[in-house]
Amino acid sequence: MAAYVVTGGAGFIGSHLAEALVARGHRVRVVDSLVTGHRRNLAAVAKAIEFIEGDLAEPDVARAAVSGMDFVLHQAAIPSVPRSVAEPAFCHRANVEATLQMLIASRDAGVRRLVFAGSSSVYGNEPTQPKREEMPADPLTPYALQKLVGEQYARMFTSLYGLETVTTRYFNVFGPRQDPSSPYSGVISIFIRALLDGRRPAIYGDGEQTRDFTYVATVVDGVLRACETPGVAGRVFNIATGSRISINRLYRVLQQLTGSGIEPVYEAARTGDVRDSQADISRARAVLGFSPDVRFEDGIARTLAWARAEPAAR
Ligand code: UD1
């Protein structure tokens, strides 16, 4: 048994990590500002975890977060490309300042390893597919730049101070508990909610842009491997499926599964939207033994089952 702090643990991906760690018998602390996270996401493990509400950009909160912890899974972020375009300074505080404070606190507390939640957005519009970790970054938005700064800070803390850090670059993660309620939410959660509520969702641009949609359990597996595999400090790993589908195709699949005849509304493309995004996961396969095994259709079916059980008001 080890002690883990999951920052952003009341959020979508963080809450799945917290559940997986509790299931493995670990001691778990969650720290979350509840700006985008919700206590209800932790309902299944509420009694088994310690919860701290706070802003990790405050050095005191970051210190309290890591105190007594072996491992840090730093998932806290404002995870939205369009929100970062609208509010770059607000997102900078959550995505960069809080990461720096967590790195400093982890270094000072003698944490064994910090895993940083990176993002595929750092690849930008470089046309080569699939994306390999060693490709040059081309951040197109504040969010992408902030995630790039976070992972470079993490790597620097490894080389400069010897703090073990690993970055997991997520692609487009989906699954139960992804919050559909904001215009900044992930596309799958928005489409599902609209179809179930009988509303027409928007497709931005021509819908032929593609994404490597990754089921959340696959991400949890990748993060825990990144945390446990020896000898990988300072490294970056794509955590995704290695395939991609278009937004139009995604829409058709969801339409079929919900039995809905509702057609989308096509609107102008989003500023800073990446055209195509597909991961090369050979590094994670070879070094971490990572092997995504949830089929896209199965992940969608589980997400849909969850969404059907959710009150529409959320
Ligand atoms: C990006 C990042 C991802 C990051 C995530 C955080 C890339 C390739 N991916 O996702 O790594 O973790 O942000 O949020 O940069 N769309 C619609 N209608 C909608 C909503 C979205 O058509 O109602 C379209 C978008 O224009 C986009 C695609 O769906 O082309 C995916 O959008 P979204 O789910 O917001 O994620 P990304 O911006 O791709």
Side-chain angles (χ1 to χ4, degrees), residues 37-56:
H38 304 283
R39 287 298 292 266
R40 66 172 184 267
N41 286 338
L42 292 163
V45 289
K47 292 203 172 65
I49 62 164
E50 176 192 354
F51 182 82
I52 298 177
E53 183 178 342
D55 174 3
L56 293 164

Side-chain angles (χ1 to χ4, degrees), residues 79 81 119-121 170 172 186-187 202-204 209 211 270 273:
V81 170
S119 167
S120 64
S121 59
Y170 305 155
N172 288 68
V187 65
I203 291 185
Y204 302 125
Q209 65 268 38
R211 295 291 186 269
R270 252 174 20 189
D273 210 34

Side-chain angles (χ1 to χ4, degrees), residues 37-301:
H38 304 283
R39 287 298 292 266
R40 66 172 184 267
N41 286 338
L42 292 163
V45 289
K47 292 203 172 65
I49 62 164
E50 176 192 354
F51 182 82
I52 298 177
E53 183 178 342
D55 174 3
L56 293 164
E58 298 291 342
D60 289 352
V61 178
R63 273 194 292 273
V66 303
S67 170
M69 295 289 115
D70 300 306
F71 298 105
V72 176
L73 306 183
H74 182 45
Q75 310 297 305
I78 300 293
S80 166
V81 170
R83 186 162 185 184
S84 80
V85 173
E87 302 176 80
F90 173 72
C91 293
H92 182 94
R93 180 176 168 88
N95 297 341
V96 178
E97 185 62 33
T99 298
L100 178 59
Q101 294 301 341
M102 282 302 293
L103 286 163
I104 292 169
S106 299
R107 176 199 66 189
D108 295 349
V111 158
R112 284 162 63 186
R113 185 175 289 181
L114 177 147
V115 181
F116 174 67
S119 167
S120 64
S121 59
V122 302
Y123 294 113
N125 266 338
E126 211 283 330
T128 316
Q129 303 290 342
K131 306 296 188 196
R132 294 186 318 277
E133 292 87 343
E134 63 274 20
M135 282 171 37
D138 177 26
L140 302 177
T141 56
Y143 177 76
L145 182 61
Q146 290 157 10
K147 283 292 175 183
L148 183 63
V149 171
E151 66 172 70
Q152 291 192 340
Y153 255 132
R155 207 156 47 213
M156 185 181 288
F157 267 64
T158 298
S159 59
L160 210 51
Y161 306 114
L163 171 68
E164 288 206 2
T165 69
V166 180
T167 292
T168 45
R169 281 185 186 159
Y170 305 155
F171 283 61
N172 288 68
V173 188
F174 71 96
R177 297 204 288 269
Q178 189 167 32
D179 184 356
S181 66
S182 130
Y184 301 129
S185 300
V187 65
I188 291 185
S189 68
I190 291 178
F191 282 2
I192 288 180
R193 195 68 260 163
L195 288 173
L196 293 183
D197 294 353
R199 285 182 285 108
R200 297 179 73 184
I203 291 185
Y204 302 125
D206 64 6
E208 287 305 303
Q209 65 268 38
T210 59
R211 295 291 186 269
D212 191 333
F213 288 107
T214 312
Y215 188 63
V216 64
T218 301
V219 168
V220 167
D221 177 62
V223 172
L224 298 184
R225 286 172 186 277
C227 192
E228 290 159 2
T229 305
V232 296
R235 300 197 70 180
V236 174
F237 295 95
N238 288 339
I239 296 297
T241 71
S243 58
R244 63 182 151 126
I245 73 163
S246 72
I247 302 304
N248 285 329
R249 168 98 190 99
L250 166 72
Y251 190 76
R252 297 293 161 218
V253 170
L254 293 175
Q255 234 186 354
Q256 238 170 24
L257 289 172
T258 53
S260 166
I262 294 171
E263 288 300 320
V265 185
Y266 283 84
E267 294 184 4
R270 252 174 20 189
T271 311
D273 210 34
V274 167
R275 186 69 187 168
D276 296 302
S277 175
Q278 176 182 6
D280 182 326
I281 55 170
S282 42
R283 181 183 290 179
R285 278 188 192 280
V287 179
L288 304 178
F290 171 69
S291 174
D293 57 0
V294 182
R295 288 172 51 240
F296 174 71
E297 292 76 9
D298 295 339
I300 290 288

